[in-house]
Amino acid sequence: MATIKYTYLFNQGNRGMRNLLGGKGAGLAYMANKGLPVPPGFTITTQACNEYYDNDCKIWPELQQQIDESLKIIEEQTGKEFGGKTNPLLVSVRSGAPISMPGMMDTVLNLGLNDETVEVLAKLTNNRRFALDSYRRFIQIFSDVVCQIDRDKFEDVLDSIKAKFNQKMDNELTEESLDVVIKEYKVLFKKEMNADFYQDVRVQLKMAIEAVFESWQNERAIIYRNLHGMSHTMGTAVNVQSMVFGNFSDTSGTGVLFTRNPVTGDNKIFGEFLINAQGEDVVAGIRTPMPLDKLKDVMPEVYDELSQIVKKMEISYKDVQDVEFTIENGRLFFLQTRSAKRTAMAALKIAIDMYNEGIIDKITALTRVDPEQVEQLLHPTFDSETLKDLHPISKGLPASPGAANGQIYLDAKTVAKKSGEGKDTILVRHETTPDDIEGMIHCHAVVTSTGGMTSHAAVVARGMGRTCIVGCQNIDIDYKTRTVKIGEKTYHEGDWISVDGATGSVYDGKLETKSNVVPEQFTILMEWANEYALMEVRANADNPEDAQKALDFGAVGIGLCRTEHMFFGEERIYDMQRMILADDKETRIDALEKLYPYQKEDFKGIYRVMKELPSNIRLLDPPLHEFLPKTEADVEKLSKKINVSIEKINERSKALEEVNPMLGHRGCRLAVTYPEIYEMQVRAIVNAAVEVNEELNINIVPHIKIPLITGSTELIRLRKLIEDTIVAELDKLNAKLDYEIGIMIETPRACLRAEDLAELSDFFSFGTNDLTQMTYGFSRDDFSKFSNEYISKKLLPVDPFQTLDDLGVGKFIKMATDAARLKNPKMKVGICGEHGGDPESILICYKYGLDYVSCSPYRISLAKLVVAQATAFKLLSINDR
Amino acid sequence: MATIKYTYLFNQGNRGMRNLLGGKGAGLAYMANKGLPVPPGFTITTQACNEYYDNDCKIWPELQQQIDESLKIIEEQTGKEFGGKTNPLLVSVRSGAPISMPGMMDTVLNLGLNDETVEVLAKLTNNRRFALDSYRRFIQIFSDVVCQIDRDKFEDVLDSIKAKFNQKMDNELTEESLDVVIKEYKVLFKKEMNADFYQDVRVQLKMAIEAVFESWQNERAIIYRNLHGMSHTMGTAVNVQSMVFGNFSDTSGTGVLFTRNPVTGDNKIFGEFLINAQGEDVVAGIRTPMPLDKLKDVMPEVYDELSQIVKKMEISYKDVQDVEFTIENGRLFFLQTRSAKRTAMAALKIAIDMYNEGIIDKITALTRVDPEQVEQLLHPTFDSETLKDLHPISKGLPASPGAANGQIYLDAKTVAKKSGEGKDTILVRHETTPDDIEGMIHCHAVVTSTGGMTSHAAVVARGMGRTCIVGCQNIDIDYKTRTVKIGEKTYHEGDWISVDGATGSVYDGKLETKSNVVPEQFTILMEWANEYALMEVRANADNPEDAQKALDFGAVGIGLCRTEHMFFGEERIYDMQRMILADDKETRIDALEKLYPYQKEDFKGIYRVMKELPSNIRLLDPPLHEFLPKTEADVEKLSKKINVSIEKINERSKALEEVNPMLGHRGCRLAVTYPEIYEMQVRAIVNAAVEVNEELNINIVPHIKIPLITGSTELIRLRKLIEDTIVAELDKLNAKLDYEIGIMIETPRACLRAEDLAELSDFFSFGTNDLTQMTYGFSRDDFSKFSNEYISKKLLPVDPFQTLDDLGVGKFIKMATDAARLKNPKMKVGICGEHGGDPESILICYKYGLDYVSCSPYRISLAKLVVAQATAFKLLSINDR
């Protein structure tokens, strides 16, 4: 039987061996194979980790032997000896799983130091302080991550010695004090472990390797894997790498470089370095590093070698590299290279430049920009110079990006009025409700004192691209005196503030905003994205203006047109309220008749913009009590207006009150009780479509969507109601019209019964807000009371109302989509609502084969880019095979 | 190629051919094969129905030919001729699907009558009135069910002719008026169908057969099948049977008999008959039938034949039969036989008698009683003689059975006080809340003016076996004047009323109740049930008294012990409220410390009763605001009692308010925020178990249940909290204890993640109330606003809070159970809550292989019987193969 290979020298592996060597090991192998000067080392495989667990958590002789053999080769390659007395080999030990994950063991550096080798190192580097400091750090880290001794205990020792020597910062520690620190550390170690600090370097190494293996099963790592649905049987690899020293001599040094400018994207190497120094010195900020150009003067050969290699690396990795290098006695080593972080502007420029230079293809270029980041380029901002010296007067959650200034007004009506007079307005309220929509349309920004990222204000503002900050806790609004106290200062209506929706900061006074000019590269990129966006992107739009915006941004349809917002207009709301207060069907129908012409015009407006593009109109969804007035004053006003007694209004309000309105009398349940509501809406849709078809000589196919369906009996009844109404209406008009009737999938039961429902529906549209609420049993309105606790304690990876819960709601989406396609392989399935504009959620929809996502018009570019990238990644992974 | 057989004479089929011949056809075949005198006929197969749909909905030549041939044989067997002029054959045409379902076509009787044959029949029967009446009925039914003419139009014609002849009832119609009716009917038919009424009897038959086929796809039938998850491709069979006439002569007659007495169960034939009459005459009640014994005198040979055959039928069917027979010219025919409906007492007696007589085995006997019906025998009742002349003063929903009398009191505290003084009390309230528990414990009955079958009052009363009526709409309670207006009469506290929980009736004054003596046969039956109850039945019990009752009724454990009720006691509620109002962890812990000794004693009490039987204790579940006072007076009282300002209490109440409390901060979410609550509860459990173990020298294994889990991250954290607490406590006590930690499966997400959760749980317990709420998106508290509409319109087959929704919630139960058992085949899985006591729901749990159901102590006998029956039916179906 052939021996199993448990250790790979860096040059024995390759990039494809990620599962066996881990991500880090595969990367090191790649560099080594490309001939880059990498400090020699080897990787212990993930398979070894798994066998370690099968082997009572002990390193068995065969594995030990391979480790010893690999170490011997490293000694030969470096000319150093592990634990040696003339030129001791020091190594780093690092974990490296196939998928990067937190919770695993940290790096142990300088392993191989003991009471003897530390003095050899002191002589070799001619820097005893450095050697001692390395040793004390090693003892500290080893004790912490390998021996699990509480790190605070070492910090306490260090602090007391610093105090004694009157040294404040770590870098002020002298040789003398470090000698004491090491002595005391060893005492502490003995007390904790009942053993002397390990002087045998091979014992050090063995223990460090075991500690990496063990860390695979520590609690944080297990929780992380559970949270992300990752397998517990992958195991981790261990990387053992020889250390190099940039502080060896004056022909030594260390530095960091980017192969292109990460801020502007300019194609020019950009970096810094320090002579006779270790990486830490750069981080500690004691010495100021020199620009990389200077290296040309100091060590011209090294500079030439460096600049040639890194350009080759860029081509080889096909991306801008962020490279750490060290020079040890004139010899260049690469410690790490990775793709460089960059600004949105740089990302755009680099992607398109590299395509033009022939380094990457169009598909790859598409994957090189972060959609979320690029989207920011489209919103106005404040000048960063201006902001530098300003303190925000309040900080809230950045609910909707953009920068705006304006005068404070405290209710929607005043905002609408003042805007009409030409004023710049900002709506400031505790929170917003559907009553405030008109104000939100007219203001420059919305600021609320309560609510979270998924509150009404946040959702609606993002939907209309309005700058918005929510949950500003230090804002105290007094509606009676019409004043706002922010911090210590009291503002009156008409006072100016400025609002940065990207950061959640509110500033005093009027700050100038600047529009970001959409860069030419963005336009190019979006053209490419269109070629590869294989999943449709539609928009949520409830009126002709939004529909037009959606088209401008490139939407190919309306995924969700809510009809409830249409009833909040000045005059219509009274008819809506009359309808709700009606005692009998006749009065109800009479009020609905008054609403009918408005509804028809609403739909005509949208159809005139969208023409033949699909526009999914959702029939009335919210519970009726949402439309009734909430304050005494409003009740009184309504009573006068429609001539219904105050008692009657209050009585009906009380009767409609619900303990759990989310799970109450709403959605299609309204139409089961009051079919005349949907009848009116359907009549309006049919007449609007027929009239616009005639007007523009086109062929609109209405898409009608029924909310909150729970099963087929409900759907049979309502589909019949809708179809009968359509047929009767067309009969009356003597017209023809194709139409589609689909449903919202919002209840868990709809997901479970998707197969039956698919037989009765022309399309499915997931309403993932409600579905998330019911899947978790989280009320979106109440979730904020404990969500922070859940997210900070890692009980939830993210807010499931912002990013789809793949393991729960995602499983439902897959289940329902698969079941529907079994019945009807061509079934159109999409999602609408907040998740449709969230990149991670869009990828989940793509994964499960949805036909479209629908999002706010302002998120369409982002969504398209995300979809194009998903396609690109898929194509790239196919090419990889 | 062999010809496909589409028609079967009754004696060609057999009982096993249900799928091909339908239920009715298979039954007729069985009788015919047993040699019973059945009027000859034949069945057209379900396959013919399906091919009919594949064949453009036309009867094709091959099928027509087989129908003709079969009809010819029937003519030979009866000696009559279809459409014949001397002895015409008349037939009935009936639908009969494999599974009985409403919505299908009704029966057409007397097919074969036309203007000629009607006169022949008149002469043959010497009863022209009868012949004419049969003809007019035939025209009316044929027009309605075959030709879809609105039946009201025929009724209008009939009414106007009756008015003209001054005849009120149908049976007053004379020959003269019937002649006019038939004439007018034919006019109406011609107007509607543009054709004369069909005189060709073969056309009549063909159209009737087609109408049966068509009715398979009518709307009502489709909705019914969707609602019950039935296949649409079964098809229906058609039964064509010759008619016989009991009014042919004085040696003709008709009757009904039971092979045993259906009221008492006595083993003696019991029945009635009429000479020279048709079945309708019995129903119309014009003539008084004679007891069957008299037949012995009139037609002794027929009587002997009849009594011999029916006793054989009973043995052959192995059950008491309800038989319809007709005698035509001294010849006996059986028209129908079916299992007889019987009273609870008769069912018990017959089952045990037939077992003793060797007719059925024990398993079959078990299946012969309706558990719901037999359970009624256990509750006290009013004397039916007494009730006969009484009118109830109010009618509500029969929420919990039993009969009780008592004096009205309007709040829980007064009830407790008066009961303490030895009074018989009835608690009358708008609705009940957890505050009222003490009153509900002490009263004889609970009556509420609002609420449905799943309201708090109904659920809790059923749980404690307390008689209860809810939703008495004519009861008007005035808490201020301490009076109750029922109808027109005003009652004061202390006035007597009587309450019948089985019917929902409230009576004035004090009616005597009588305890039902548990019949000896019931005891025997329950012993048999114990042998076959293969799924465990546990009880829901929150205190030692209920636990004792559970044991008395035969429970093998506690499936659900709610801990929240324990905090409502007089003194404890203040500590609970102090805990909730605490500003910091210390104050909270301090209040919890005060609750700890109570909790420990609660659990000790339960453990002393249950000993080593499993007792699943659910940790705190409801949102904290449920424990705070609701009225100003109570707030004031609390403020004084615990020395916290009224403002503070109101402020905290406001902060804890939730928009959708069902989906809010409750269940294990409380323990994520306030781990100290569960810590206290777990400490109490551990100490209680250890102390009782010592006291009784037994080995209790605590079962701890975490509510409202949504995923594994939550469970890892809370399981650790609980285990750490247990370990620390055992350490302190220097004691040992095994324990199990399980979870409630109440959220859809828990069902989706069951596989992960199974790795971290020792048992699963479905909370189907919450799961139903979240699966449908129905708030139980608000559902009553539209539930009637949903149930009456058949959008829901039943109230899903009473009977498990198999297609939705049941699918979740199956999904989660299967997933859990994949990880751990021995995983204990059960359900607790209301559904655990509902027969149909219990069967669903049985179907999906659950280990136990848990129900109120008073439902245990019923549940055991249901489970035993499920096992019995399974064994019987295996024997059948």
Side-chain angles (χ1 to χ4, degrees), chain A residues 607-723:
Chain A
Y607 282 141
R608 284 198 188 102
V609 175
M610 298 304 292
K611 302 195 175 72
E612 294 187 353
L613 290 176
S615 303
N616 286 0
I617 297 172
R618 181 179 74 185
L619 301 176
L620 194 69
D621 182 51
L624 296 182
H625 51 74
E626 279 198 10
F627 296 94
L628 290 184
K630 304 284 177 293
T631 67
E632 262 180 57
D634 286 345
V635 170
E636 207 170 310
K637 199 168 146 203
L638 174 63
S639 165
K640 276 187 197 136
K641 181 84 188 176
I642 67 171
N643 200 17
V644 169
S645 76
I646 291 180
E647 294 71 41
K648 174 74 183 287
I649 297 174
N650 288 335
E651 193 185 294
R652 182 59 53 95
S653 280
K654 183 126 185 63
L656 288 175
E657 248 176 38
E658 292 180 307
V659 181
N660 298 292
M662 232 307 292
L663 308 176
H665 197 186
R666 52 174 285 242
C668 67
R669 295 163 198 178
L670 293 173
V672 169
T673 330
Y674 309 115
E676 50 275 14
I677 300 178
Y678 280 14
E679 262 167 37
M680 182 278 282
Q681 293 196 295
V682 171
R683 279 176 49 222
I685 293 170
V686 169
N687 281 277
V690 168
E691 289 177 24
V692 176
N693 274 345
E694 237 163 68
E695 193 177 297
L696 305 180
N697 194 20
I698 55 176
N699 185 22
I700 292 164
V701 177
H703 286 58
I704 300 173
K705 187 147 85 166
I706 312 173
L708 213 66
I709 283 287
T710 61
S712 54
T713 49
E714 224 170 21
L715 182 51
I716 289 170
R717 185 178 190 88
L718 294 176
R719 186 172 181 117
K720 182 168 183 325
L721 171 74
I722 294 169
E723 287 194 316

Side-chain angles (χ1 to χ4, degrees), chain B residues 89-261:
Chain B
L89 173 67
L90 305 188
V91 298
S92 64
V93 179
R94 289 181 171 95
S95 67
I99 296 172
S100 153
M101 50 179 284
M104 299 284 300
M105 196 194 84
D106 299 329
T107 305
V108 177
L109 294 175
N110 294 323
L111 190 140
L113 282 177
N114 58 19
D115 294 351
E116 272 185 300
T117 53
V118 69
E119 297 301 344
V120 181
L121 184 66
K123 271 183 212 142
L124 277 171
T125 58
N126 201 17
N127 189 344
R128 186 159 184 270
R129 193 204 160 279
F130 157 72
L132 291 176
D133 196 46
S134 302
Y135 190 29
R136 77 99 189 156
R137 282 174 201 265
F138 169 58
I139 297 173
Q140 191 170 345
I141 290 178
F142 188 91
S143 303
D144 171 13
V145 305
V146 177
C147 303
Q148 318 277 338
I149 306 174
D150 187 350
R151 76 176 74 184
D152 289 345
K153 294 183 178 165
F154 287 90
E155 288 296 335
D156 289 347
V157 169
L158 192 62
D159 287 345
S160 73
I161 296 173
K162 279 196 287 194
K164 199 168 128 195
F165 286 86
N166 198 20
Q167 292 156 346
K168 284 209 182 86
M169 308 290 287
D170 283 10
N171 58 48
E172 293 174 14
L173 289 163
T174 55
E175 277 181 47
E176 186 191 4
S177 52
L178 283 166
D179 272 325
V180 180
V181 170
I182 289 166
K183 205 178 122 205
E184 291 295 321
Y185 272 12
K186 287 197 283 191
V187 171
L188 173 58
F189 187 91
K190 178 148 195 180
K191 188 175 147 217
E192 293 287 327
M193 299 297 288
N194 239 333
D196 287 323
F197 185 73
Y198 306 106
Q199 295 295 318
D200 182 338
V201 295
R202 285 176 193 271
V203 170
Q204 290 175 0
L205 181 60
K206 189 174 169 206
M207 289 183 71
I209 292 168
E210 285 176 347
V212 172
F213 285 159
E214 297 286 344
S215 73
W216 176 253
Q217 293 288 24
N218 76 23
E219 200 189 337
R220 266 180 69 206
I222 290 171
I223 289 179
Y224 183 87
R225 290 196 295 270
N226 279 325
L227 208 55
H228 294 82
M230 285 160 60
S231 159
H232 294 292
T233 60
M234 280 188 301
T236 182
V238 186
N239 298 293
V240 178
Q241 187 173 23
S242 56
M243 305 272 309
V244 288
F245 295 98
N247 54 346
F248 225 90
S249 62
D250 280 343
T251 54
S252 302
T254 189
V256 172
L257 69 78
F258 296 85
T259 55
R260 300 185 188 215
N261 188 307

Side-chain angles (χ1 to χ4, degrees), chain A residues 219 222-223 226-227 655-665 668-669 672-673 710 712-714 716-717 720 747-749 752-753 773-779 781-782 785-786 789-790 793-796 805 807-809 811-812 815, chain B residues 219 222-223 226-227 655-665 668-669 672-673 710 712-714 716-717 720 747-749 752-753 773-779 781-782 785-786 789-790 793-796 805 807-809 811-812 815:
Chain A
E219 199 189 334
I222 290 172
I223 289 178
N226 278 327
L227 210 53
L656 288 175
E657 248 176 38
E658 292 180 307
V659 181
N660 298 292
M662 232 307 292
L663 308 176
H665 197 186
C668 67
R669 295 163 198 178
V672 169
T673 330
T710 61
S712 54
T713 49
E714 224 170 21
I716 289 170
R717 185 178 190 88
K720 182 168 183 325
T747 63
R749 199 170 188 283
L752 294 173
R753 305 309 314 163
Q773 296 197 82
M774 292 184 220
T775 302
Y776 268 109
F778 285 162
S779 158
D781 297 306
D782 305 308
K785 287 198 180 131
F786 55 91
E789 201 113 12
Y790 262 71
K793 287 180 179 164
K794 297 275 176 219
L795 299 179
L796 291 171
D805 157 40
L807 296 180
V809 179
K811 194 166 175 182
F812 267 143
M815 189 188 290
Chain B
E219 200 189 337
I222 290 171
I223 289 179
N226 279 325
L227 208 55
L656 289 175
E657 249 175 37
E658 292 180 308
V659 181
N660 298 292
M662 232 309 292
L663 309 176
H665 196 188
C668 67
R669 295 163 197 176
V672 168
T673 329
T710 62
S712 55
T713 49
E714 224 171 22
I716 289 169
R717 184 177 191 89
K720 185 171 180 328
T747 64
R749 198 170 189 283
L752 294 172
R753 304 311 311 164
Q773 296 197 78
M774 293 183 218
T775 302
Y776 268 108
F778 285 161
S779 158
D781 297 307
D782 305 308
K785 286 193 184 137
F786 55 92
E789 203 112 14
Y790 263 70
K793 287 180 179 163
K794 296 275 173 219
L795 299 178
L796 290 171
D805 157 40
L807 296 178
V809 178
K811 194 167 176 180
F812 266 143
M815 188 189 286

Side-chain angles (χ1 to χ4, degrees), chain A residues 225-239:
Chain A
R225 291 196 295 271
N226 278 327
L227 210 53
H228 293 82
M230 285 162 58
S231 158
H232 294 292
T233 59
M234 280 187 301
T236 181
V238 186
N239 297 294

Side-chain angles (χ1 to χ4, degrees), chain A residues 287-386:
Chain A
R287 293 163 55 186
T288 308
M290 291 181 282
L292 196 67
D293 284 347
K294 290 276 179 196
L295 188 62
K296 220 185 287 188
D297 310 331
V298 188
M299 290 185 251
E301 310 81 24
V302 174
Y303 180 84
D304 285 347
E305 188 190 356
L306 182 64
S307 49
Q308 278 165 28
I309 289 177
V310 297
K311 265 300 167 193
K312 275 190 209 145
M313 278 165 74
E314 185 183 273
I315 290 167
S316 172
Y317 279 100
K318 297 173 189 276
D319 197 6
V320 182
Q321 294 299 299
D322 166 354
V323 180
E324 283 176 36
F325 63 91
T326 286
I327 306 160
E328 189 184 77
N329 287 332
R331 194 170 157 204
L332 178 65
F333 289 100
F334 288 100
L335 299 187
Q336 177 160 297
T337 181
R338 55 185 170 191
S339 287
K341 295 246 180 304
R342 64 206 79 172
T343 64
M345 194 51 236
L348 263 179
K349 180 167 164 43
I350 290 168
I352 288 169
D353 284 355
M354 286 183 111
Y355 169 76
N356 288 333
E357 292 159 25
I359 299 174
I360 57 177
D361 56 17
K362 216 187 267 183
I363 303 174
T364 308
L366 270 172
T367 67
R368 289 296 166 73
V369 289
D370 173 359
E372 199 71 84
Q373 199 188 11
V374 166
E375 204 226 18
Q376 301 289 340
L377 288 176
L378 305 179
H379 294 279
T381 52
F382 294 121
D383 192 66
S384 56
E385 281 305 304
T386 317

